[in-house]
Amino acid sequence: MKLFPYAHATHPQWRMAAGLVLAQLRAQLALPDYASAPTLALLYITDHYASAAQDILDHLSAELPEVTDWSGTVGVGIAANNVEYFDEPAMAVMLLGLPAHQYRVFSGVAPLGMAFEAHTALVHADGNTQDLAELVTEMAARTDTGYLFGGLASSRRSSVQFATGGNGNIKGQGGARGVFHGGLSGVAFTQDVALSSRVTQGCQPIAAERSVTACEGNVVTALNGEPALQVLLGDLGASLDEPREALGRVRATLAGLRGAPGAAGSDAVRRPGSFGPDVRVRHIIGLDPARQGVAIAETLEIGMRLSFCQRNAQAARADLVRVCAEIREELEPEDMPAEAALALSNNLAASAPHPARRMAGAVYVSCASRGGAHFGGPSAELQIVRHALGDVPLVGFFAGGEIARHHLYGYTGVLTVFTATD
């Protein structure tokens, strides 16, 4: 598998940004290490361009007529290798060099047919979609692995999604021109597309994990048999006798949830003092002194595990480095040809991706509240990815919620690498 051409640019006028992106893509398409005739593209734009989404897709499609399949969405920020674009008009495109029979673009008007044997899928979704969690679970069940990756569009304007296949001529597409609002869209891949994906957490538990022993709807009333509100206040060292201070601490606290022991995905490997990928972080949305309850932004069940937690930049940084290192170690063989080893040890290796790393391209979806501002400076999060993972073609966006497996996450990053097969 050759490297995926990718490009990114910022400019107040979308046509100028598109021109810069097209110039970069055409230059890479001519290089021997890059795919020369890709038909699938991922397109991410910041919400500054949301109103021009259809014009952007039409323009890029016309300029790249060999690319017949498009998928993507909008974010308050977008990502590319080593750079983040927040609060500025920008776009990023990656062209995936995959055979057409190994993927299928889907959307609300062109659902994924039963005839296509999906192994996994990249999913973009509108956070305002009714019963979204159930739709994500249903979509995961349509794949062999049950593994999805992606995120929810984030926008201060229109929450658009891009989804078009076969130049708009696939069955079910009808007269749709490829820009959608609401629901799910994305790209499903067969088992022939090799992927390596990880979830990186952004929060750290502040106390021991406990079992939900009593709850009503989204209100937990007892943890390990003790009143939930008392447990929370005890973990925070707070008291309702000083309500202003107590509420301030509660507002800075979140709840990490995972399924009861034995539930699917509930027994992932966990590291002391940190969350594993099975934990979904949710907001605390209220306190109920009458029932000694704590309201969580998710429906609860008896037996679920709950850990009160807080956002932690140091823990987020360490976990991001860890997942990058895991992927890198998984893909880079212990033994490689001398030519490849010399190429990767060259001082110029940091300035350009290299096929010897076996990483054709990557998609990174991170929470909109992460990014450089959380990690210490402009583009700091993506700089960590590049430093830890190595140089690789990469695009992505900052989401209103992240998707991995069949779960909706918050405050996480989902890194997925398309890998070369032996």
Side-chain angles (χ1 to χ4, degrees):
M1 183 183 293
K2 292 194 173 184
L3 297 169
F4 296 164
Y6 77 110
H8 51 95
T10 176
H11 196 279
Q13 299 177 25
W14 70 261
R15 287 185 180 275
M16 295 298 292
L20 295 169
V21 163
L22 289 166
Q24 296 171 56
L25 292 175
R26 286 167 177 152
Q28 292 177 22
L29 286 166
L31 297 176
D33 286 339
Y34 285 80
S36 60
T39 57
L40 171 63
L42 300 181
L43 167 60
Y44 297 111
I45 62 173
T46 60
D47 56 358
H48 294 73
Y49 291 155
S51 61
Q54 188 67 66
D55 291 335
I56 291 171
L57 180 60
D58 289 346
H59 179 73
L60 293 175
S61 298
E63 291 292 323
L64 296 169
E66 69 279 5
V67 180
T68 57
D69 304 274
W70 292 80
S71 180
T73 191
V74 61
V76 292
I78 62 171
N81 181 32
N82 209 42
V83 64
E84 305 162 7
Y85 296 100
F86 264 103
D87 255 344
E88 57 183 325
M91 68 176 68
V93 176
M94 186 161 70
L95 307 181
L96 283 66
L98 301 173
H101 68 275
Q102 293 183 0
Y103 69 85
R104 184 67 50 82
V105 175
F106 63 89
S107 68
V109 300
L112 190 61
M114 297 298 293
F116 185 81
E117 296 181 1
H119 191 66
T120 185
L122 166 62
V123 175
H124 308 118
D126 188 326
N128 295 317
T129 301
Q130 189 174 4
D131 299 325
L132 179 59
E134 288 78 5
L135 290 175
V136 169
T137 300
E138 180 183 329
M139 183 65 205
R142 298 284 301 279
T143 68
D144 294 338
T145 60
Y147 193 94
L148 307 178
F149 62 98
L152 312 186
S154 63
S155 178
R156 293 158 294 194
R157 297 171 177 84
S158 179
S159 292
V160 298
Q161 298 172 48
F162 301 104
T164 185
N167 203 22
N169 297 320
I170 63 174
K171 184 178 179 181
Q173 189 83 32
R177 296 172 59 199
V179 176
F180 299 94
H181 304 266
L184 306 180
S185 67
V187 187
F189 302 98
T190 69
Q191 63 180 355
D192 297 317
V193 180
L195 299 170
S196 182
S197 188
R198 296 289 191 283
V199 176
T200 177
Q201 296 279 5
C203 296
Q204 189 172 43
I206 60 174
E209 182 182 70
R210 298 178 177 89
S211 177
V212 175
T213 50
C215 60
E216 299 177 32
N218 68 326
V219 178
V220 53
T221 54
L223 293 167
N224 283 2
E226 300 180 16
L229 180 55
Q230 302 250 340
V231 171
L232 171 60
L233 294 174
D235 286 350
L236 297 177
S239 171
L240 291 182
D241 293 336
E242 298 178 355
R244 180 172 296 182
E245 180 181 354
L247 290 176
R249 295 187 185 184
V250 170
R251 289 191 185 100
T253 305
L254 302 154
L257 299 170
R258 68 185 184 110
S266 65
D267 299 315
V269 175
R270 301 164 61 77
R271 300 168 306 285
S274 62
F275 282 148
D278 52 338
V279 174
R280 291 105 58 204
V281 174
R282 297 292 185 261
H283 287 283
I284 295 174
I285 57 176
L287 305 178
D288 188 342
R291 290 186 290 176
Q292 287 291 293
V294 178
I296 310 295
E298 182 165 314
T299 302
L300 302 169
E301 297 178 359
I302 301 295
M304 291 180 73
R305 305 293 176 156
L306 186 150
S307 307
F308 293 115
C309 59
Q310 293 176 343
R311 298 188 67 200
N312 185 292
Q314 184 175 356
R317 176 185 291 268
D319 201 54
L320 181 56
V321 171
R322 176 190 64 81
V323 300
C324 291
E326 285 183 1
I327 291 176
R328 188 166 182 167
E329 290 172 6
E330 177 184 320
L331 298 179
E332 290 188 356
E334 293 183 8
D335 299 319
M336 65 176 66
E339 182 182 355
L342 287 172
L344 294 183
S345 64
N346 191 294
N347 289 335
L348 296 177
S351 64
H354 196 284
R357 289 199 176 96
R358 303 177 66 205
M359 304 178 197
V363 175
Y364 187 53
V365 180
S366 185
C367 180
S369 64
R370 286 168 55 109
H374 184 57
F375 286 84
S379 295
E381 184 173 8
L382 270 295
Q383 288 170 2
I384 292 170
V385 173
R386 186 206 185 202
H387 181 75
L389 187 65
D391 230 337
V392 59
L394 181 150
V395 296
F397 68 105
F398 290 88
E402 304 76 63
I403 297 172
R405 296 187 296 174
H406 60 284
H407 293 312
L408 292 174
Y409 287 84
Y411 303 105
T412 65
V414 180
L415 176 62
T416 304
V417 176
F418 292 83
T419 66
T421 54
D422 296 327

